[in-house]
Amino acid sequence: MIINKSWSLQCAFDAINNAYYPGGLQSGPQRNRQIETWGLLVGKSKALSELYSLIESYGSTNKMSRAVRMSYKTIKNLRGFFESLPDEFEKVEDVGDYNFIEGETCSLEEDLTHEFKEVKGRNPAKSIQNLVDEYIIAFLNGSGGSIFWGICDDGRVKSLMLTAAQKDEINKIINSKVNTLEPSIDPTKIKVVFHPVNQTENGFVLEVNVPKSNSVGLFFNSSGDTWVRVNGCKQKLQGLALQDYIVERMQKNN
């Protein structure tokens, strides 16, 4: 059966129990594996949170055991399995202190975990708003990394001229975009840093640092679109390409 990552744990039990009879010699263990698969898809934090909430809603583990037709011991084993899942996110690298100089080539290189974006026009907040969720999703679906606004493709620094009010607006825009991601993540996992640029007044390079996700599933924006990093570039996935990527991703994590 196909596990829906949007299910609550109760919904998962209802659907999976309907497909695999609890207690059967073959169907019972299969049911348990399917519940574990649900945990793999939703991640450690949500799986444990849902389990604790379900126990609380029934009043005790014993009462939950009877309601979902899973033995007390198996529920304890399920909790242990959820606890053994990897943390959803891990830092790729600490946000560093960079010596950016206006007009000069920076020490960084554009690669799998570093993306440079030059901001053109007089409204940097709008430019960032139009693309920031796509890059965050691409990094979350890959190995994590940082997007630097204010660096040209050739590595030359062309800083953003920002007032305190504009910096605050950009922070709010990025936070708002992060809050629309599916599945949802803690916005504090995305680090936003304004690096001052030497030989400028109020010039900055904006770094948006994205952690590596250990989730088997992909991240999407509010429109259901997703992106990945391919050869150091952001690429949108859709149709057959999206299906093939998900299958390959699942196989790598088996």
Side-chain angles (χ1 to χ4, degrees), residues 119-162:
V119 176
K120 300 177 181 179
R122 298 183 178 181
N123 192 340
K126 185 175 181 180
S127 297
I128 292 164
Q129 182 179 29
N130 289 339
L131 290 173
V132 67
D133 58 337
E134 298 180 13
Y135 282 103
I136 289 174
I137 288 170
F139 276 120
L140 283 172
N141 287 338
S143 302
S146 287
I147 315 105
F148 292 88
W149 269 275
I151 302 179
C152 303
D153 288 341
D154 60 5
R156 183 170 48 85
V157 176
K158 188 177 179 182
S159 61
L160 313 180
M161 306 308 295
L162 302 172

Side-chain angles (χ1 to χ4, degrees), residues 39 69 79 147-148 171:
R69 292 181 291 172
R79 183 180 67 184
I147 315 105
F148 292 88
N171 265 314

Side-chain angles (χ1 to χ4, degrees), residues 124-138 140 147 149 168-190 192 206 208 210 219-225 227:
K126 185 175 181 180
S127 297
I128 292 164
Q129 182 179 29
N130 289 339
L131 290 173
V132 67
D133 58 337
E134 298 180 13
Y135 282 103
I136 289 174
I137 288 170
L140 283 172
I147 315 105
W149 269 275
D168 185 56
E169 180 186 5
I170 290 170
N171 265 314
K172 290 178 180 177
I173 285 171
I174 295 172
N175 189 69
S176 176
K177 286 290 188 178
V178 171
N179 283 328
T180 66
L181 300 186
E182 293 291 342
S184 60
I185 70 169
D186 179 358
T188 62
K189 298 294 183 182
I190 308 297
V192 179
L206 167 64
V208 180
V210 182
F219 289 84
F220 298 81
N221 69 3
S222 57
S223 300
D225 296 323
W227 292 262

